[in-house]
Amino acid sequence: MKTALPYLRQVVLAKALTEVEEAEARRVVMRVPGSGFQNYLRPLGGRQTKATGIASLVTALQLLYKQNGFSARYIVVERG
């Protein structure tokens, strides 16, 4: 947590994961034309897409938890 403090000082708005809206999720995922949305942790060559931005964001959070043990309760929506 101490290493994240410089970033947390720049946070303008953070929301609980359950409160994140589709438009906010789409800002942090990639749109694959004709396929859907791909989370930012997957390589572009992969074709695992989700129908919504929120579903794609959740897959990224699940992967972070699996790889590093980081669980997300809040999502940074806007930084200053």
Side-chain angles (χ1 to χ4, degrees):
M1 192 67 176
K2 288 181 182 179
T3 58
L5 282 177
Y7 298 103
L8 293 176
R9 289 187 188 111
Q10 299 173 27
V11 171
V12 176
L13 177 64
K15 287 187 173 183
L17 180 57
T18 57
E19 296 174 2
V20 174
E21 296 178 20
E22 180 67 19
E24 295 163 330
R26 286 183 180 194
R27 284 189 249 164
V28 294
V29 296
M30 296 176 289
R31 184 176 200 112
V32 178
S35 295
F37 296 91
Q38 189 174 39
N39 78 51
Y40 55 90
L41 296 174
R42 295 283 181 204
L44 287 174
R47 289 291 169 204
Q48 297 176 343
T49 60
K50 298 290 180 181
T52 66
I54 290 175
S56 183
L57 175 62
V58 167
T59 61
L61 296 173
Q62 289 171 334
L63 189 58
L64 281 174
Y65 181 74
K66 184 178 177 182
Q67 290 178 345
N68 303 316
F70 298 138
S71 61
R73 292 187 185 176
Y74 297 94
I75 302 298
V76 172
V77 177
E78 185 178 340
R79 289 178 57 185

